[in-house]
Amino acid sequence: LFRYVARVILRVEPTRSTKGELLAQLRARGVFLIDLKRDPVDAQPLADEIPQLLRRIRRLKPEKIIVIKASVFDLVRDPLISAGLSLIDERVPFPGSGQQRRFVAAFLRALKRAPAGPGDRLPVRSTLTDETICLTPPGLCRRSRRSHPREAVA
């Protein structure tokens, strides 16, 4: 996921040797990847993680949340909107298993959309804002002017 987020946001081709530098550039722009589950080895169902996820997102105070992977989107969409959080109502596929082009197209669309409100349906249209959180199955990426040292950049 890091590679594709870096390609879209930084418009560069990441390599192993430039990963640290690119992570620093993402961090400087306020882009963070954080895990949906703090412990990805934990066998607890993803649905059980939603209350903790909502608390973590509230601490970050994002202007946008982009959920990556359709099954995760379907799981967290209603709880995020019901909690008044700024979900972008766009299914963004995880950039693996041949979904890379679809990821880039959907991620770019999501970056340009306004957050959904209760009762909203796809599509919602707007312009890019300064902050974004990207929730993936196991992560979030945060694009913000502020830095959140407790959240690690992946």
Side-chain angles (χ1 to χ4, degrees):
L1 180 63
F2 157 74
R3 288 185 3 206
Y4 289 92
V5 169
R7 285 176 185 165
V8 171
I9 303 241
L10 299 176
R11 296 185 178 146
V12 297
E13 184 62 35
T15 65
R16 287 183 190 260
S17 64
T18 62
K19 185 174 183 178
E21 174 189 332
L22 296 178
L23 285 171
Q25 287 180 32
L26 287 171
R27 188 178 305 116
R29 289 179 161 202
V31 177
F32 297 88
L33 302 176
I34 56 177
D35 289 339
L36 167 59
K37 288 181 83 165
R38 292 262 184 195
D39 181 2
V41 195
D42 179 3
Q44 186 173 351
L46 288 178
D48 294 349
E49 300 289 328
I50 292 174
Q52 174 64 15
L53 174 67
L54 295 176
R55 285 189 291 276
R56 292 174 65 210
I57 291 172
R58 282 189 185 107
R59 279 196 319 262
L60 296 172
K61 299 177 185 171
E63 289 180 14
K64 289 185 176 187
I65 301 165
I66 299 174
V67 178
I68 299 174
K69 191 169 183 190
S71 62
V72 175
F73 179 90
D74 293 341
L75 178 69
V76 302
R77 180 195 184 275
D78 291 341
L80 290 175
I81 291 174
S82 294
L85 295 168
S86 50
L87 176 70
I88 301 303
D89 215 350
E90 172 89 33
R91 283 181 180 84
V92 179
F94 191 82
S97 302
Q99 299 295 316
Q100 293 86 351
R101 286 187 181 149
R102 289 186 61 220
F103 167 83
V104 170
F107 190 62
L108 286 169
R109 277 193 312 272
L111 286 170
K112 295 176 183 176
R113 293 175 84 160
D120 278 354
R121 297 174 189 228
L122 296 172
V124 177
R125 294 184 185 154
S126 183
T127 58
L128 177 65
T129 64
D130 292 335
E131 299 187 0
T132 303
I133 285 186
C134 307
L135 171 61
T136 70
L140 289 175
C141 91
R142 186 164 193 319
R143 182 171 178 234
S144 168
R145 291 176 291 240
R146 295 181 303 273
S147 175
H148 297 279
R150 292 189 54 164
E151 301 296 347
V153 177

